[in-house]
């Protein structure tokens, strides 16, 4: 039994519901697919949730590979994002910090989320574009700083562009 809000670590690094799994212990791999399009995967220690179609448990690497099916997603132009975020901070002081990533790896050894193909993250009326398109989330929703990022503000008029930025994101 744990009280609500207790973030002490235990064997529960992540949790999800309504997925079907196919485990292959010879290959040391498990494929889990959502039964309803997308499922919510919660990372309690990281204080993040993710909406994802499927994930693969790589037993030997002690990792989960999370993937969002891109399907028919398209953008009318670069300013009109029809695809919403799928990673959300549930940390009470981060004001629903969120971003989109179609592929991520969750390291079960150190409870770290590596979100790839993350084009940008919206902060206030600006967008931060990580130079590597990678966002790293540690325990307690701590995001690794960005090196050589680009900030565009505001993201609609794009009046200001700041390059070679070192940025530490702590909230939205």
């Amino acid at each position: 039994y744990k009280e609500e809000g207790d973030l002490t670590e235990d064997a529960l690094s992540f949790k999800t519901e309504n997925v079907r799994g196919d485990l292959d212990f010879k290959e040391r791999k498990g494929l889990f697919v959502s039964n309803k399009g997308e499922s919510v995967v919660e990372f309690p220690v990281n204080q993040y949730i993710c909406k994802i179609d499927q994930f693969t448990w790589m037993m030997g690497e002690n990792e989960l590979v999370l993937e969002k099916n891109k399907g028919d997603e398209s953008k009318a132009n670069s300013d009109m994002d029809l695809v919403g975020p799928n990673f959300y901070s549930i940390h009470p002081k981060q004001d629903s910090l969120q971003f989109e990533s179609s592929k991520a790896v969750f390291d079960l050894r150190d409870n770290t989320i590596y979100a790839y193909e993350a084009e940008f993250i919206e902060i206030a009326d600006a967008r931060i574009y990580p130079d590597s398109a990678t966002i790293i989330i540690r325990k307690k929703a701590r995001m690794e700083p960005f090196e050589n990022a680009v900030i565009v503000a505001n993201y609609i008029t794009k009046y200001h562009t700041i390059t070679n930025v070192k940025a530490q994101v702590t909230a939205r």
Side-chain angles (χ1 to χ4, degrees), residues 60-72:
E61 292 83 7
N62 223 358
E63 294 177 341
L64 294 179
V65 178
L66 302 109
E67 296 176 287
K68 182 177 181 187
N69 185 357
K70 292 183 181 179
D72 254 355

Side-chain angles (χ1 to χ4, degrees), residues 3 20-21 23 34 42 46 52 54 90 105 121-123 155 161 171-172:
E3 289 187 33
R20 63 184 177 280
L23 297 172
S34 174
E42 183 178 350
N46 303 80
I52 211 84
Q54 67 180 32
I90 54 174
V105 173
I121 185 166
E122 288 183 0
I123 307 296
Y155 63 83
T161 300
R172 191 166 181 199

Side-chain angles (χ1 to χ4, degrees), residues 141-157:
R142 189 178 63 78
M143 191 177 288
E144 286 290 308
F146 298 121
E147 302 283 337
N148 300 313
V150 173
I151 296 177
V152 176
N154 82 28
Y155 63 83
I156 294 172
T157 64

